[in-house]
Short mmCIF file of all heavy atoms in Angstrom, two decimals:
data_model
loop_
_atom_site.label_atom_id
_atom_site.label_comp_id
_atom_site.label_asym_id
_atom_site.label_seq_id
_atom_site.Cartn_x
_atom_site.Cartn_y
_atom_site.Cartn_z
N ARG A 50 5.76 -14.64 -1.99
CA ARG A 50 7.20 -14.52 -1.78
C ARG A 50 7.83 -13.58 -2.81
O ARG A 50 8.68 -12.75 -2.47
CB ARG A 50 7.83 -15.92 -1.87
CG ARG A 50 9.30 -15.94 -1.61
CD ARG A 50 9.77 -17.40 -1.55
NE ARG A 50 11.18 -17.42 -1.25
CZ ARG A 50 12.10 -17.97 -2.04
NH1 ARG A 50 11.73 -18.54 -3.17
NH2 ARG A 50 13.36 -17.96 -1.71
N ILE A 51 7.42 -13.69 -4.06
CA ILE A 51 7.96 -12.85 -5.12
C ILE A 51 7.63 -11.39 -4.87
O ILE A 51 8.50 -10.51 -4.98
CB ILE A 51 7.43 -13.31 -6.49
CG1 ILE A 51 8.01 -14.68 -6.84
CG2 ILE A 51 7.75 -12.29 -7.57
CD1 ILE A 51 7.35 -15.33 -8.04
N VAL A 52 6.38 -11.11 -4.52
CA VAL A 52 5.96 -9.73 -4.27
C VAL A 52 6.72 -9.15 -3.08
O VAL A 52 7.16 -8.00 -3.11
CB VAL A 52 4.43 -9.65 -4.05
CG1 VAL A 52 4.01 -8.28 -3.55
CG2 VAL A 52 3.70 -9.99 -5.33
N ARG A 53 6.90 -9.94 -2.03
CA ARG A 53 7.62 -9.47 -0.85
C ARG A 53 9.06 -9.11 -1.19
O ARG A 53 9.57 -8.06 -0.76
CB ARG A 53 7.56 -10.53 0.24
CG ARG A 53 8.04 -10.04 1.59
CD ARG A 53 7.88 -11.07 2.67
NE ARG A 53 8.73 -12.21 2.40
CZ ARG A 53 8.32 -13.48 2.38
NH1 ARG A 53 7.06 -13.77 2.60
NH2 ARG A 53 9.15 -14.46 2.14
N LYS A 54 9.71 -9.93 -1.99
CA LYS A 54 11.10 -9.66 -2.38
C LYS A 54 11.20 -8.43 -3.28
O LYS A 54 12.12 -7.62 -3.15
CB LYS A 54 11.71 -10.88 -3.06
CG LYS A 54 12.03 -11.98 -2.10
CD LYS A 54 12.79 -13.08 -2.78
CE LYS A 54 13.26 -14.06 -1.73
NZ LYS A 54 14.38 -14.85 -2.16
N GLU A 55 10.26 -8.30 -4.23
CA GLU A 55 10.27 -7.13 -5.11
C GLU A 55 10.05 -5.85 -4.31
O GLU A 55 10.67 -4.83 -4.57
CB GLU A 55 9.20 -7.25 -6.19
CG GLU A 55 9.59 -8.10 -7.35
CD GLU A 55 8.59 -8.05 -8.48
OE1 GLU A 55 7.79 -7.10 -8.56
OE2 GLU A 55 8.62 -8.98 -9.31
N LEU A 56 9.15 -5.91 -3.34
CA LEU A 56 8.87 -4.75 -2.50
C LEU A 56 10.10 -4.35 -1.71
O LEU A 56 10.46 -3.16 -1.65
CB LEU A 56 7.69 -5.05 -1.55
CG LEU A 56 7.29 -3.95 -0.59
CD1 LEU A 56 6.87 -2.70 -1.35
CD2 LEU A 56 6.15 -4.42 0.29
N ALA A 57 10.79 -5.31 -1.14
CA ALA A 57 12.00 -5.02 -0.38
C ALA A 57 13.07 -4.40 -1.27
O ALA A 57 13.73 -3.43 -0.89
CB ALA A 57 12.53 -6.29 0.27
N CYS A 58 13.22 -4.92 -2.46
CA CYS A 58 14.21 -4.41 -3.40
C CYS A 58 13.86 -2.98 -3.82
O CYS A 58 14.72 -2.10 -3.87
CB CYS A 58 14.28 -5.32 -4.61
SG CYS A 58 15.64 -4.93 -5.71
N ALA A 59 12.59 -2.73 -4.12
CA ALA A 59 12.15 -1.40 -4.53
C ALA A 59 12.36 -0.39 -3.40
O ALA A 59 12.81 0.74 -3.64
CB ALA A 59 10.68 -1.43 -4.94
N LEU A 60 12.05 -0.78 -2.18
CA LEU A 60 12.24 0.12 -1.04
C LEU A 60 13.72 0.40 -0.80
O LEU A 60 14.09 1.51 -0.42
CB LEU A 60 11.59 -0.47 0.21
CG LEU A 60 10.07 -0.46 0.23
CD1 LEU A 60 9.54 -1.25 1.42
CD2 LEU A 60 9.53 0.95 0.25
N THR A 61 14.57 -0.59 -1.03
CA THR A 61 16.00 -0.40 -0.88
C THR A 61 16.52 0.61 -1.89
O THR A 61 17.26 1.54 -1.54
CB THR A 61 16.75 -1.74 -1.06
OG1 THR A 61 16.29 -2.64 -0.05
CG2 THR A 61 18.24 -1.56 -0.93
N VAL A 62 16.11 0.47 -3.14
CA VAL A 62 16.54 1.40 -4.19
C VAL A 62 16.00 2.79 -3.92
O VAL A 62 16.69 3.79 -4.11
CB VAL A 62 16.11 0.89 -5.58
CG1 VAL A 62 16.36 1.93 -6.65
CG2 VAL A 62 16.84 -0.40 -5.91
N LEU A 63 14.77 2.87 -3.43
CA LEU A 63 14.17 4.16 -3.09
C LEU A 63 14.96 4.82 -1.96
O LEU A 63 15.22 6.02 -1.98
CB LEU A 63 12.71 3.96 -2.67
CG LEU A 63 11.85 5.19 -2.56
CD1 LEU A 63 11.76 5.92 -3.89
CD2 LEU A 63 10.45 4.81 -2.09
N GLY A 64 15.38 4.04 -0.99
CA GLY A 64 16.20 4.56 0.11
C GLY A 64 17.58 5.01 -0.35
O GLY A 64 18.11 5.99 0.16
N GLU A 65 18.14 4.31 -1.31
CA GLU A 65 19.43 4.71 -1.86
C GLU A 65 19.33 6.08 -2.51
O GLU A 65 20.23 6.91 -2.38
CB GLU A 65 19.91 3.70 -2.91
CG GLU A 65 20.37 2.40 -2.35
CD GLU A 65 20.66 1.37 -3.43
OE1 GLU A 65 20.45 1.67 -4.62
OE2 GLU A 65 21.11 0.27 -3.08
N GLY A 66 18.22 6.34 -3.19
CA GLY A 66 18.01 7.64 -3.82
C GLY A 66 17.87 8.74 -2.80
O GLY A 66 18.37 9.85 -3.00
#
Side-chain angles (χ1 to χ4, degrees):
R50 183 173 182 239
I51 292 169
V52 170
R53 191 176 65 232
K54 286 187 172 202
E55 279 188 20
L56 179 60
C58 189
L60 288 172
T61 299
V62 172
L63 192 60
E65 287 173 357

